[in-house]
Amino acid sequence: MKYDVVIGLEVHVQIKTESKMFCSCPNRYGEEPNTLTCPVCMGYPGAMPVPNRKAIEKAVIAGLMCGCSISEYSKFDRKSYFYPDMAKNYQISQYDLPFCLEGNIKVEGKGFSGKKIQIKNIGITRIHLEEDAAKSNHYAACSGVDYNKAGIPLLEIVSEPDIASADEAYAYLTNLKEIMQYGNISSCDMEKGQMRCDVNISLKPKGRKEFGTKIELKNMNSFRAVHRAVEYEIDRQAEALDEGVTLRQETRGWNDERGETYLMRSKESAHDYRYFPEPDLMPVVFTKNDIDNFKADIPELPKAKRERFISQFNVTEYDAKVLTAEKAVADYFEKGAEHTKSPKLLANWMITDLLKEISDSGLNINEIRVTPENLAEMIEMINKKTISGKIGKTVLSEMFKTGNKPSVIVKEKGLIQDTDESSIEKYVDKAIEDNPSQAEQYRSGKKNVLQYFVGQVMKQSRGKANPQIAIKLLKEKLG
Amino acid sequence: MNKQKKTIDVDYIAGLAKLEIDESKKSRFQEEMQNIVDYVDLLSELNVENIIPTAHAAQMKNVWREDVSENDFSREVMLKNAPELFDEGTIKVPQVLPGEGTA
């Protein structure tokens, strides 16, 4: 392509707290409209905001985890605008002195499209703390407003225009989400509006210094949608520029069903937010010592965790990647690993079986009935050859259904592996007797017929025969 | 001191505030707002070099509360001033963006 793509992302993340940013209303999703409200978050005259200390701390920790420097002096400002989702007619935000400045997020590895991404640091300009607006729904003749969401602590994370492709945008978002979840800053559930993303994108002829006309993209409700919207927009803008069309600065929405962007509004007048310091709130001042204390609270980052898993538990790089993609999964694995001598086997079972059961069930790992201790107990049973791997699959799906301990399930269902040579010998004899032609094939040199006999023995023993013993006996008997 | 006079554009301010102002009142507003701005502008005559800007007279910092939630206000009370409701608890406002369906 003969154009350079210039993308900056503006990500909003709701901070996970008990209460809202400036009042004590619960910070919860999914309640009846306007039930989580009070004079502060509904903007009644004279109501005074008081900041939530936890939200400020989480904002600082989020900044530290993104490599930002933390301001020793920060303050809140009023951003004026008139819209029904903001009852005060201003949003409390931060203008010139935000909590966090100048960080970065590294992107690398295989991109969403399958192509490789060159290692690159995407700069973060700033992270500031503000209050979320109310939820408005639009109908044919009116709009409706629900203030439950108004006043939820909200981080705005602004990237530098360092992103040059849909793959890089996707990787940046994935890493950012991982950090926010690992830091317990936010659950980042996009369907619940806990993480939202606006894209600024422009094209310029390769190598030129000045940026082209910036188009803002909104309404993407998944990272995949961001990826698609960016790809679409690159093509659209390149085509327009090829034809000599002058692009106008505008805001475009993303229609996921049609797979295209559409004009929402053109920026006929520049915004004039008339920022000024919030007189109802005092500045926030941190000493170097305070900031050092915050640093001590930073949880292990995904990358460090992956490296530790590989060295501590002897799992592969792939295992470590899958196990750390979500913090809850990583925590589950570590908990289980305390109770088994074979963490690698535990990792295998989690990746191939447990995560599959979880995705089939539509639950998340915190909701399932299989505890890490019980899964580890099952791994130990396989290790000690009390049960075979095959029986393990049955036991696991039973654990998933009932939440029972594997030892109980194995006992109740009579699934203990048979390691008694004399009883396995009976199955072996029967298998050979029933299949004389296969036995002949084996003897004449077709050694892979052995697998067929193992299958027969397992079938007759209903999976309980120890395969190693069965193989040993089969080899002896078949000569 | 920079003595460039700041002039008030009533139409622009009204636009930002989403207000429609009667043509006959514009000159009065122009005069009143201009007086306010000129008055505040007197401050620019002061020498503020080496003075750290502040938004507060009281030198306080880190005034915050612990993260505890409570819900003291019933929806009925909170919605008493709402101009109109639908579905019992949603506030009805003039249409902001095009949408579909009925409320």
Side-chain angles (χ1 to χ4, degrees):
Chain A
M1 204 173 60
K2 54 186 196 232
Y3 300 105
D4 286 331
V5 177
V6 179
I7 300 169
L9 297 182
E10 212 174 88
V11 178
H12 284 96
V13 172
Q14 280 185 355
I15 298 181
K16 193 160 68 176
T17 50
E18 284 296 313
S19 62
K20 290 187 179 179
M21 185 61 226
F22 296 114
C23 61
S24 300
C25 288
N27 171 1
R28 272 207 303 269
Y29 176 85
E31 301 288 322
E32 285 294 304
N34 291 310
T35 50
L36 309 175
T37 56
C38 76
V40 174
C41 56
M42 282 195 109
Y44 275 74
M48 291 291 272
V50 186
N52 182 336
R53 175 183 187 156
K54 188 107 216 155
I56 293 175
E57 286 176 0
K58 287 198 176 191
V60 169
I61 290 182
L64 288 170
M65 290 180 80
C66 294
C68 293
S69 59
I70 305 303
S71 312
E72 290 178 30
Y73 184 98
S74 306
K75 67 175 173 67
F76 290 101
D77 299 273
R78 290 188 179 181
K79 176 183 179 180
S80 305
Y81 72 91
F82 289 76
Y83 201 81
D85 68 8
M86 193 53 81
K88 302 189 296 299
N89 288 338
Y90 59 84
Q91 177 188 31
I92 304 178
S93 181
Q94 297 191 284
Y95 183 52
D96 54 341
L97 298 169
F99 288 120
C100 320
L101 287 165
E102 285 174 24
N104 65 80
I105 285 179
K106 195 184 201 177
V107 294
E108 60 186 317
K110 202 167 123 188
F112 182 70
S113 71
K115 276 181 256 160
K116 197 171 154 33
I117 302 174
Q118 296 298 324
I119 295 183
K120 184 170 177 182
N121 275 318
I122 309 290
I124 289 175
T125 316
R126 56 184 278 156
I127 301 178
H128 72 248
L129 182 57
E130 58 188 28
E131 53 179 338
D132 206 348
K135 169 90 189 131
S136 25
N137 287 307
H138 307 291
Y139 304 97
C142 68
S143 294
V145 191
D146 168 10
Y147 282 90
N148 285 352
K149 185 168 82 69
I152 287 179
L154 192 67
L155 284 180
E156 182 174 314
I157 302 155
V158 184
S159 90
E160 289 287 308
D162 288 345
I163 298 165
S165 69
D167 273 355
E168 284 182 10
Y170 188 94
Y172 170 86
L173 289 170
T174 311
N175 292 355
L176 187 61
K177 178 178 170 182
E178 217 175 51
I179 290 171
M180 293 300 144
Q181 288 180 333
Y182 266 77
N184 199 24
I185 312 292
S186 175
S187 305
C188 294
D189 186 337
M190 289 185 88
E191 278 173 27
K192 294 179 182 164
Q194 291 165 347
M195 186 175 191
R196 314 189 293 260
C197 172
D198 296 337
V199 177
N200 285 311
I201 174 167
S202 64
L203 266 55
K204 61 183 173 64
K206 252 198 181 353
R208 201 183 75 178
K209 269 220 155 88
E210 309 84 63
F211 289 168
T213 308
K214 188 169 79 179
I215 308 285
E216 190 179 0
L217 302 179
K218 282 182 180 290
N219 279 0
M220 292 141 305
N221 50 16
S222 67
F223 293 169
R224 199 175 153 264
V226 171
H227 193 274
R228 290 177 70 204
V230 166
E231 296 234 293
Y232 176 89
E233 199 58 20
I234 291 171
D235 288 347
R236 189 189 71 86
Q237 292 184 24
E239 232 168 79
L241 294 172
D242 281 347
E243 287 166 13
V245 177
T246 314
L247 293 165
R248 281 187 312 164
Q249 193 173 326
E250 61 191 24
T251 303
R252 300 180 69 85
W254 170 248
N255 184 323
D256 206 50
E257 273 155 48
R258 301 175 64 135
E260 58 188 34
T261 63
Y262 60 92
L263 178 67
M264 286 175 88
R265 55 176 181 263
S266 45
K267 290 210 166 148
E268 66 286 342
S269 62
H271 291 287
D272 191 344
Y273 293 127
R274 307 244 154 169
Y275 283 98
F276 66 91
E278 166 58 89
D280 290 343
L281 294 169
M282 290 297 166
V284 176
V285 180
F286 294 123
T287 62
K288 285 204 169 65
N289 196 24
D290 291 335
I291 297 167
D292 285 343
N293 288 339
F294 282 125
K295 280 183 188 157
D297 280 348
I298 296 180
E300 185 179 34
L301 280 167
K303 191 170 169 284
K305 199 180 279 276
R306 278 195 285 278
E307 283 160 8
R308 182 169 59 81
F309 276 14
I310 293 168
S311 64
Q312 186 180 341
F313 300 118
N314 251 325
V315 298
T316 65
E317 206 175 314
Y318 170 80
D319 296 339
K321 206 171 167 191
V322 177
L323 292 172
T324 56
E326 262 185 71
K327 181 164 184 288
V329 174
D331 289 346
Y332 189 103
F333 171 71
E334 278 208 80
K335 196 123 203 225
E338 288 171 19
H339 300 272
T340 170
K341 293 188 194 78
S342 311
K344 169 61 184 154
L345 194 58
L346 173 69
N348 294 351
W349 276 84
M350 279 186 67
I351 292 165
T352 48
D353 298 278
L354 188 72
L355 292 180
K356 189 183 173 297
E357 291 270 7
I358 288 171
S359 84
D360 288 350
S361 67
L363 297 169
N364 74 48
I365 197 159
N366 292 322
E367 294 165 339
I368 61 170
R369 308 174 84 166
V370 185
T371 64
E373 292 82 3
N374 284 351
L375 183 61
E377 184 190 318
M378 190 191 92
I379 301 300
E380 282 304 287
M381 292 171 86
I382 296 172
N383 244 346
K384 290 181 189 138
K385 302 200 163 56
T386 315
I387 58 171
S388 65
K390 199 168 169 220
I391 293 287
K393 292 193 192 278
T394 314
V395 174
L396 181 63
S397 53
E398 198 61 27
M399 286 162 73
F400 207 85
K401 268 182 240 148
T402 62
N404 284 343
K405 284 171 81 69
S407 50
V408 173
I409 293 166
V410 165
K411 213 171 184 179
E412 271 177 5
K413 305 222 157 200
L415 296 170
I416 291 177
Q417 177 162 258
D418 198 342
T419 49
D420 175 19
E421 286 208 17
S422 64
S423 83
I424 296 174
E425 193 175 2
K426 279 181 212 139
Y427 299 127
V428 168
D429 287 342
K430 178 105 175 33
I432 296 173
E433 196 184 310
D434 287 353
N435 301 285
S437 64
Q438 279 85 350
E440 199 43 53
Q441 285 175 14
Y442 182 87
R443 288 186 185 112
S444 64
K446 269 189 88 178
K447 298 293 179 202
N448 55 1
V449 180
L450 188 69
Q451 273 315 310
Y452 172 79
F453 282 105
V454 175
Q456 291 302 307
V457 171
M458 295 315 272
K459 201 169 154 193
Q460 287 183 44
S461 68
R462 292 151 99 207
K464 283 191 265 178
N466 176 300
Q468 278 77 31
I469 297 173
I471 289 167
K472 190 189 92 179
L473 291 173
L474 279 163
K475 280 184 175 163
E476 281 171 19
K477 302 243 170 193
L478 287 164
Chain B
M1 259 315 93
N2 182 4
K3 265 316 268 180
Q4 199 187 351
K5 201 172 152 77
K6 297 183 184 79
T7 48
I8 283 290
D9 181 342
V10 176
D11 285 326
Y12 178 66
I13 304 280
L16 286 177
K18 298 250 175 4
L19 291 175
E20 276 177 42
I21 292 181
D22 208 72
E23 204 59 44
S24 64
K25 290 184 178 147
K26 277 186 188 166
S27 63
R28 201 189 92 203
F29 279 126
Q30 163 74 40
E31 201 186 316
E32 284 179 5
M33 287 195 267
Q34 194 65 55
N35 280 339
I36 296 168
V37 172
D38 290 349
Y39 178 64
V40 176
D41 226 25
L42 288 175
L43 289 171
S44 63
E45 288 172 14
L46 295 172
N47 182 359
V48 290
E49 216 176 317
N50 301 323
I51 296 177
I52 302 162
T54 178
H56 298 281
Q59 295 300 308
M60 292 167 81
K61 58 179 188 186
N62 302 359
V63 181
W64 45 38
R65 65 184 173 82
E66 296 308 315
D67 180 27
V68 178
S69 75
E70 53 196 6
N71 204 355
D72 293 338
F73 297 87
S74 74
R75 177 160 79 172
E76 288 63 40
V77 170
M78 288 314 301
L79 292 179
K80 261 190 175 160
N81 285 329
E84 205 179 334
L85 300 174
F86 62 83
D87 296 341
E88 286 171 42
T90 302
I91 300 170
K92 189 172 174 180
V93 297
Q95 194 192 43
V96 196
L97 282 175
E100 285 163 14
T102 48

